[in-house]
Every structure is written in structure tokens, then in C-alpha cells.
Amino acid sequence: MPLLLFVFTVFTLHAAAPANSATTDTISAAQPLAGGEKLVSGNGRYALGFFETGSDSNWYMGIWFNTVPKLTPAWVANRDDPIKNITSLELTISGDGNLVILNRSSSSIIWSSQARATATDTIAVLLNTGNLVLQNSSSNPSDVFWQSFDYPTDTFLPGAKLGYDKVTGLNRRLVSWKNLIDPATGAYHEELDPSGLDQFLLTPLNSSTPYWYSGVWNGQYFALMPEMSNGYFMNFTFVDNDQEKYFMYTLHDETTVIRNYVDVSGQAKTNMWQESSQNWVPMFAQPKAQCDVYAVCGPSTICDDNTLPSCNCMKGFAVRSPKDWKLYDLTSGCLRNTPLDCSNRSTISTDRFYPMPCVRLPQNDDHSKPAAASSGECAQICLGDCSCTAYSFVKGECSAWHGELLDWRQHQCSDSSSTNGETLYLRLAAKEFPSQQASRRGKTNVILVISATVASLGLLAALVLLIIIWRNRTKLSGGTLKIAKGVNGIIAFRYADLQRATKSFSEKLGGDFGMAKLLGRDFSRVLTTVRGTAGYLAPEWISGVAVTTKIDVYSYGMVLLEIISGRRNSWAPCSCGGDHGVYFPVNVAQKLLEGSDIGSLVDHMLHGDVNLDEAATACKVACWCIQDDEFDRPTMGEVVQILEGLSEISVPPMPRVLQAMSGRGSSHSTCS
């Protein structure tokens, strides 16, 4: 399966082709901008003009990153009012000094800056920061009547301010796009906490309840975002005075292209443009788990971070708008397949309940708590109310949900109990359940299948027995294993060798993967092996703390590194020079942190025939899997999403335990 690095702006966008090669950064009444032209900032980093999205011929006037080949808008003027035809349009200065989109054929104004300009001889200038300003052409340039930085869309550019103007009441906040190709007002926004705390919030646009907090500003970074303390690329400023309260950032290197924005998924993301891969590379995403975004999947859905896709309809429901879902507009959610039986109040409803174990019950959803002594009584109360769509009975308490079901999340649970969630009983029409007659037919079919399977297995066993008897009578030449050509310590054995070593497969060969290392090996040897050399086992095996499924994620990461290199993850001094004597996992992590070429890490038997972007993604996945803290490791569901290009991944930190065990940085870490 090919690895795709990252998929971000997968929507179809293209800008209007410039009518001529001459570019400027200024618009005036005498020098308007026609539909096929564009402005370019003095430093060439930003451009302004008209661009089209999707296949519906919707045109928008906006600003984009001029140095990025993939058209990525940073600001949109008419986000909620698309234009169908730009042949007769121009961006110009109107008689009252405002910046307007004018339809020349009808002399009608489509969009206006609506500034209170005190002069009519104004000009619009696209600054080097990407800020479009309306100012007096003859007075001080700092005398600005209007600027795009005061009205951001979904993107937070370096040098812009997010926060409040205490004098005018202006609130500069970010609002997500509607979907991947529509810049219209979306479902989520990010803003400074209106309660007065020095922190940012992510909130659904139609709600006042945040689903993510940045934590309070401590003078250097926001408390719940400690990664900001690294300050690799940015300087941060938080200002609170009598005039305004805002947060701003600038770049150490102005040639670096950074995109901070609120994604259609409801996550606040930071990406950096990488020239070598010609792609946006993710740096941060908040909240980290997609299902932490409130009601991200819409009504009558279940969100699961361990599945792909993470949003799915509940049983008995189907996607309401497949077209919107393809564009990641999930707000419409799912629609019930069969109406509930609520037409006749005089009879008992025929509806039934479908159990959904290990579900997180919504924390902020309105629901009733009728008095009920048992789960059965709670179910009958729900059936007697046509508005009741689900119930739960937890610790002797009945809870009933009414109307559309929002913000339900699936958890993984053990085989014995649902310790990570409760059981939700979803009300469905009887038609959604198989009939008793169908069940009987199903049982009959199962019996027939089982009988046929048993008979087939009997024949197969007889055949295998005959083969074993025949092979035991065949003389095997030699007693020494003939080893096939190995590569960097990985040995390929012939079938006959494995057959002899296992006594015709009657004995098992030792495993060395995650928990399998404990099986078929005595425990003391395992600990001795791991303490002596860095192996496949996660650090928590050694420390004695409770283990989880993340230990196998760790083992997967170690094996993935061996697949990448084509050799065992071992350290051995050599005289070849370079990094060949460094413990490979540590070497990979170091190269990722340094931004070095990872081509040297890939199996040399490929002779350079490898996609370096995909290799880099695989290396990052592996290094996140082998992090010291199990909470830093991804789930296998997240790993699949990343490897298939459906999720983002940042550069992982150095695994300190492996670094210490391998002696990275000491005199023994490299060959000489």
C-alpha cells in the first residue's frame, strides 16, 4: 500500500490567469484591478485577486500565499457571497473612498469595505505581511481606514492580531470554511475567551460551550500548549492594555511560510510549507483527537478515533447528504432509515432498542432522568414517549435522550466490561431488526456452513497427515541449515531449513514482537535481554508499570524501522564512517529533528528507487510509536490514517530511553 505524505488542501482551487505580466501592490480609482489580474506584495510572498473553487463556477476575491504552488487562500472578502462571472468585474476605489468589487456592466457594487473614510483620494495596498489596507494616498500611510487583518476568515497570518479592540468592540476571530471547497462561514470558530481569561477557545459557531481551551497565557506560552515553549520558528506576543487585548506572532525567518488556521474539522492547525516535498507539513493540531471536537460528525452519528473514517452513522441511519460528507461538511449528519412507531398512542410501540456498548455519554447534552428501578422499566418509559430516541441505565439511574443525538463517541473496551464507556440503548423501528423467521433461516444456514466446514477440515487433516507420513519417509540431506543470502543481519531461511529446525513444524520458533517476546521465553531472560540491549519491548515492561495496548504500538514502531532500513535495529561499531554504527531508531529520530535527508536511512537494496516523502512519513510514524510515554504514542487506528494520508503527523521528539541505552552523543555513537 503506497504511503501518501499529507492531504490538506484537497479541494479544487485555481486563480484567474493574469491578463499581463505587470504586477503591482496598489489599487486606486485610476488604477483598478480587473478580474483576470492580481496584486502582488512588495516581497512577493502574497497575492490578491479572484480565484475559483469547485465545479460550480463560484468566484471569490481574496489573498493567497504567492510562493506556494498549491493555491491556498489566507483571506476571502466575499466568503458568503460567491460571484458567478468575473468578466465584467473590477476591484476599485468608489466615490466615497471605499474599496469595492464593481460590476462594470450594471454599475452595481457586489462587495464593499464599508469603511468610514474621511477622504476620497484613498488607495488600497497589499503589504508585505499579507494585510490589505485602505489608506489616504497623500497623508501618513499609518492612517488606515480599513484593513483585512481586522476581518480574518479562517487563517491567522504572522503580524496579525487575534483579540479585542476595547474602544470599538471589534472582535478579531477565526471562523472555519463550510467545507473543503466552500469558504463560506463554517461550523467552528477560535477566539479569545470572552469571559476575560487570557486564553483561546474553540467553540461551535452556534454554541457558547467550548470544546477546547488553550490554557491561560503564562508570559511565554499558553498553559495547555507547552510545545509553544520551543519557539523554533515563531516569536509570541500577548498584549492587554486600555485600548486592546490581543495575541500575535512573528517569524524568526520571514522566508518561512507558516499557515495557522481553523480547519473544517474544527481543529486549529499549524502547517509549514516544505519546498523539498512541495507540501504543507503539519506542526501542531488542537485538539489532538478528532473526536474531541464537539458534534464533529453531526446528529445520529458515532465518532471513533480508532476507525477510518472516524465518523459513521449509527445503526438504522444513513448519511443525509453524501455530497456534503465527501467535502467534509458533516453538520447534516445521518437520517433515520425507518420512522419510529409513534402513530398510535393507544397501543404499545413496536420499536426496539439496539445496545451500543462502550459509548461516552454526552457531557453537556440536555436529557431527562425519569424515575426507574431497572433497565427494563427505563426502556418502557422511553417507548411511551415519542420524542425519546435513546436511553441508558447506569448505576441505578435512568437517562433518556430526546430528538437528535449529538456528540456520541465510541471507546475501546475490554472483553469483560465496558470500563471506558457506558451502554447506550438506541431506539429503532422493529423493521431494523431481523425477524424470527429470518433468524431461524440464518441459524439453519449457519449449521449447514459449520457442517460443511467440519467436513472440509476433516478431509484437509487427512491430506496433511498423508503428506507428513510421506515426508518422514524421505531422507533429508545434511544436518546444517543452509542460509539464504542475508542483508544487514536479516536472514532468509529456505522452507526445508525451517522444516528441519521445527521438526516438521511440530515445535515453534521463538517470536520477538511485543508481548510475543514473553511467550515461549522465560521471564528473567526477557528482562535481561531488554536491559542489555534496546529491543522490541516498551519501557513500561521494564519499569513494572501497568501495560496497555500501546506496548504493541511500540513494537510495531520498532519493526517498521527494520522494514525501512532492511536490517535489524541493533548497534555495532564499524569502520565504515558516518552513522552506520549508530543505533538505528535513534539515528532516525535525530535526522528527523535536524531535517536531514532521510534517503540514507532507506534499505540500500532499493537502489534509491523510493518516494522520500512516503519514507519520511513512515519514519515519523515509527518514531512516534516508540516514544517513552505511552500517551504520546498513536493508536493503530491513527497510524493507519496517517499512512493513508488522511491524517497529519508532526516531527516526533527524541525517545530519551533509547537514546540513553544506545549512548547517542557519546564517543561510541559513531564509527571511526
Side-chain angles (χ1 to χ4, degrees):
M1 178 179 62
L3 306 179
L4 302 178
L5 182 56
F6 301 107
V7 178
F8 296 111
T9 51
V10 296
F11 40 82
T12 304
L13 298 176
H14 73 269
N20 52 64
S21 59
T23 56
T24 179
D25 62 357
T26 304
I27 294 174
S28 65
Q31 187 181 10
L33 185 76
E37 298 174 335
K38 70 176 182 178
L39 293 186
V40 177
S41 60
N43 58 5
R45 294 184 61 190
Y46 299 97
L48 177 144
F50 292 92
F51 65 90
E52 183 185 21
T53 70
S55 57
D56 296 330
S57 296
N58 288 330
W59 289 86
Y60 301 88
M61 190 271 284
I63 299 169
W64 59 85
F65 297 93
N66 193 45
T67 58
V68 174
K70 296 181 179 180
L71 183 62
T72 309
W75 178 78
V76 184
N78 58 318
R79 66 182 305 178
D80 293 310
D81 298 297
I83 304 167
K84 290 297 183 181
N85 193 333
I86 64 170
T87 55
S88 59
L89 295 184
E90 66 178 16
L91 188 63
T92 186
I93 303 297
S94 65
D96 63 356
N98 268 292
L99 180 66
V100 298
I101 300 176
L102 178 68
N103 188 328
R104 295 191 305 270
S105 61
S106 63
S107 298
S108 60
I109 295 177
I110 297 175
W111 173 87
S112 171
S113 59
Q114 298 182 351
R116 295 180 179 178
T118 58
T120 57
D121 58 339
T122 55
I123 59 173
V125 182
L126 182 59
L127 304 181
N128 289 342
T129 58
N131 188 16
L132 179 65
V133 299
L134 182 67
Q135 62 188 38
N136 195 320
S137 62
S138 58
S139 63
N140 189 343
S142 62
D143 187 12
V144 175
F145 302 122
W146 176 92
Q147 58 181 345
S148 60
F149 271 11
D150 283 341
Y151 306 93
T153 49
D154 69 328
T155 303
F156 181 25
L157 291 175
K161 301 175 181 179
L162 276 190
Y164 297 95
D165 186 318
K166 297 180 180 180
V167 178
T168 64
L170 177 68
N171 179 16
R172 307 178 190 93
R173 65 177 185 174
L174 303 179
V175 180
S176 65
W177 282 29
K178 177 177 172 57
N179 59 41
L180 294 177
I181 64 172
D182 189 349
T185 300
Y188 307 100
H189 74 277
E190 181 179 21
E191 65 178 353
L192 269 179
D193 193 337
S195 71
L197 290 177
D198 298 342
Q199 65 178 356
F200 276 94
L201 310 175
L202 280 171
T203 312
L205 202 60
N206 60 356
S207 171
S208 59
T209 305
Y211 56 83
W212 176 81
Y213 304 81
S214 67
V216 176
W217 177 258
N218 62 14
Q220 294 181 314
Y221 56 89
F222 294 105
L224 299 181
M225 300 179 66
E227 58 268 25
M228 292 175 62
S229 62
N230 296 326
Y232 292 134
F233 304 99
M234 294 171 270
N235 297 308
F236 304 111
T237 303
F238 194 94
V239 173
D240 186 5
N241 55 37
D242 295 337
Q243 302 292 315
E244 53 189 348
K245 180 178 181 179
Y246 65 86
F247 173 73
M248 181 176 68
Y249 75 97
T250 56
L251 301 175
H252 293 315
D253 182 1
E254 291 189 355
T255 62
T256 303
V257 182
I258 295 290
R259 185 188 181 206
N260 281 291
Y261 67 110
V262 177
D263 188 50
V264 295
S265 66
Q267 292 175 296
K269 298 181 178 180
T270 300
N271 298 338
M272 181 176 65
W273 179 256
Q274 188 178 67
E275 283 294 331
S276 59
S277 65
Q278 290 291 285
N279 247 317
W280 288 105
V281 177
M283 297 172 63
F284 309 110
Q286 299 291 350
K288 292 181 174 62
Q290 179 64 78
C291 293
D292 284 340
V293 177
Y294 175 74
V296 63
C297 302
S300 305
T301 58
I302 192 79
C303 189
D304 188 347
D305 283 316
N306 295 300
T307 63
L308 187 68
S310 56
C311 291
N312 288 283
C313 293
M314 291 180 170
K315 178 180 173 59
F317 292 79
V319 174
R320 187 185 301 265
S321 175
K323 179 181 178 181
D324 289 340
W325 271 52
K326 288 179 181 178
L327 297 175
Y328 214 87
D329 177 9
L330 311 179
T331 53
S332 61
C334 299
L335 186 66
R336 190 180 292 275
N337 294 329
T338 308
L340 297 178
D341 178 20
C342 281
S343 58
N344 191 346
R345 295 294 185 93
S346 62
T347 60
I348 299 176
S349 173
T350 60
D351 296 337
R352 297 167 62 183
F353 291 98
Y354 176 75
M356 298 175 61
C358 306
V359 171
R360 183 200 67 180
L361 306 181
Q363 302 300 309
N364 55 353
D365 196 53
D366 292 332
H367 58 279
S368 62
K369 291 185 178 295
S374 66
S375 178
E377 186 177 347
C378 187
Q380 290 304 314
I381 293 174
C382 184
L383 286 176
D385 185 348
C386 280
S387 68
C388 182
T389 50
Y391 82 91
S392 69
F393 192 78
V394 181
K395 297 179 180 178
E397 184 177 65
C398 175
S399 297
W401 279 265
H402 305 268
E404 292 184 325
L405 300 172
L406 282 172
D407 199 33
W408 296 86
R409 185 171 183 174
Q410 184 70 53
H411 285 293
Q412 289 184 316
C413 53
S414 66
D415 295 333
S416 58
S417 64
S418 48
T419 56
N420 294 323
E422 309 298 344
T423 298
L424 172 74
Y425 294 90
L426 179 66
R427 182 175 180 175
L428 297 174
K431 185 179 179 181
E432 297 295 335
F433 297 87
S435 65
Q436 292 184 353
Q437 183 177 1
S439 298
R440 285 194 296 269
R441 285 199 302 266
K443 290 180 180 178
T444 302
N445 291 336
V446 169
I447 293 173
L448 291 174
V449 170
I450 291 176
S451 300
T453 302
V454 170
S456 300
L457 290 175
L459 292 174
L460 180 62
L463 178 61
V464 170
L465 182 61
L466 290 174
I467 293 174
I468 292 176
I469 294 173
W470 176 77
R471 286 191 175 273
N472 284 338
R473 292 177 178 177
T474 303
K475 292 184 179 180
L476 300 176
S477 60
T480 305
L481 292 178
K482 297 180 180 179
I483 300 176
K485 183 178 181 181
V487 180
N488 292 325
I490 296 181
I491 301 172
F493 293 94
R494 293 184 177 87
Y495 178 85
D497 297 333
L498 293 175
Q499 185 185 32
R500 286 196 298 272
T502 57
K503 297 181 180 179
S504 295
F505 301 103
S506 62
E507 295 182 359
K508 297 180 180 179
L509 286 175
D512 201 14
F513 183 89
M515 295 179 66
K517 191 175 179 74
L518 297 180
L519 304 177
R521 296 284 193 273
D522 69 87
F523 192 75
S524 61
R525 183 187 174 193
V526 170
L527 292 183
T528 302
T529 302
V530 176
R531 285 173 180 153
T533 62
Y536 297 90
L537 293 189
E540 50 263 39
W541 274 117
I542 307 174
S543 61
V545 300
V547 296
T548 67
T549 54
K550 291 295 185 70
I551 62 169
D552 287 332
V553 173
Y554 185 97
S555 302
Y556 169 80
M558 297 297 278
V559 172
L560 179 56
L561 288 168
E562 292 188 341
I563 294 173
I564 293 169
S565 66
R567 61 185 180 215
R568 292 292 300 273
N569 290 332
S570 59
W571 177 91
C574 64
S575 58
C576 55
D579 291 325
H580 296 283
V582 182
Y583 185 52
F584 185 71
V586 177
N587 189 26
V588 173
Q590 189 66 35
K591 284 187 177 292
L592 289 174
L593 289 170
E594 294 171 351
S596 303
D597 176 33
I598 52 87
S600 61
L601 304 175
V602 181
D603 188 352
H604 73 276
M605 294 296 289
L606 296 176
H607 303 293
D609 184 17
V610 63
N611 186 315
L612 293 181
D613 290 340
E614 295 178 357
T617 301
C619 288
K620 290 176 184 177
V621 168
C623 288
W624 273 116
C625 289
I626 61 173
Q627 290 298 304
D628 304 334
D629 191 334
E630 63 178 286
F631 296 105
D632 291 333
R633 301 172 202 153
T635 64
M636 288 310 298
E638 291 169 336
V639 167
V640 172
Q641 290 181 337
I642 294 167
L643 294 181
E644 291 195 346
L646 300 176
S647 187
E648 306 168 358
I649 187 170
S650 56
V651 175
M654 173 66 71
R656 298 301 177 187
V657 173
L658 289 179
Q659 185 184 36
M661 294 175 70
S662 65
R664 174 73 179 182
S666 68
S667 59
H668 300 288
S669 63
T670 57
C671 303
S672 59

